[in-house]
Amino acid sequence: MSDFPPLKTERLRLREIVAADAPTLLAIYGDIDAMRWFGTDPLTEINEALKLVETFAEWRKASNPGTRWAIVDSKTDRLIGTCGLFKWNPSRRSCSVGYELAREAWGKGVMCEALSAVLDWGFEHMSLNRIEAKVHPKNEPSIKLINHLGFVREGLLRQAGLLAGRTPGLDSVFPLA
């Protein structure tokens, strides 16, 4: 994975995440209600958001590489979320998908549009056979989204994440193959 692969949809541009995105990432990843589904503590400082930008950039060089796209509204040129493919295992032709969206963009079909482009790219350019999504079993909007995209519930992972130092519960595993 050398050059970053920008993608475009009807309403969105998917591009590389850069340091200038840190304030918006802080707002998105700082939303405690949204992060309860993510399985991590919310960000509280701009330095944490800058580190997240670095982490996403490092994914492309990892032994099991990944790509995380900034989701940008084409009309406003505003960052509204991120999504990506990570933990790529080329020999098994598999990876995981992750995503989050600013609250004001919820319920508008944005993530479905973005993930459709990302999943298509993954199958075409990464020769994938399986993409896995881990979703909290009570996160109904996310379950509805991935089911719409063709994912099917496969099982539960117990105690799969931490929030405020506590295990928030179970994550359902949904593969797309």
Side-chain angles (χ1 to χ4, degrees):
M1 293 191 173
S2 52
D3 294 333
F4 193 89
L7 303 173
K8 193 169 184 149
T9 71
E10 185 178 329
R11 299 180 295 167
L12 308 169
R13 284 186 312 106
L14 282 71
R15 61 158 173 80
E16 189 167 10
I17 299 167
V18 296
D21 295 326
T24 303
L25 292 174
L26 177 60
I28 294 169
Y29 282 85
D31 183 337
I32 193 163
D33 290 331
M35 286 297 104
R36 72 175 185 217
W37 304 122
F38 210 67
T40 61
D41 289 329
L43 300 184
T44 59
E45 298 179 14
I46 194 69
N47 287 340
E48 294 170 316
L50 287 166
K51 178 65 179 152
L52 191 59
V53 172
E54 292 174 16
T55 297
F56 291 151
E58 290 168 3
W59 279 7
R60 297 187 47 74
K61 301 172 194 155
S63 58
N64 289 24
T67 301
R68 192 78 169 201
W69 285 266
I71 303 170
V72 177
D73 182 305
S74 292
K75 287 184 182 176
T76 65
D77 203 37
R78 185 163 186 247
L79 174 68
I80 55 176
T82 79
C83 63
L85 302 171
F86 60 101
K87 294 184 181 174
W88 181 28
N89 185 328
S91 65
R92 292 192 179 192
R93 298 178 50 210
S94 66
C95 73
S96 294
V97 64
Y99 50 90
E100 76 290 321
L101 201 56
R103 187 178 295 270
E104 65 268 13
W106 291 2
K108 298 178 182 173
V110 169
M111 192 55 72
C112 185
E113 187 174 328
L115 285 179
S116 291
V118 166
L119 297 173
D120 288 348
W121 183 88
F123 281 114
E124 182 179 340
H125 296 281
M126 297 168 71
S127 299
L128 294 171
N129 180 59
R130 175 184 171 97
I131 301 174
E132 200 173 84
K134 293 179 183 167
V135 179
H136 193 285
K138 292 183 181 175
N139 187 346
E140 293 177 17
S142 191
I143 291 170
K144 182 180 176 184
L145 165 67
I146 60 172
N147 283 336
H148 178 77
L149 291 168
F151 288 78
V152 178
R153 185 171 179 216
E154 186 173 78
L156 291 176
L157 300 175
R158 297 180 323 131
Q159 301 179 358
L162 293 176
L163 183 62
R166 297 186 338 263
T167 304
L170 307 172
D171 282 340
S172 295
V173 178
F174 293 80
L176 174 66

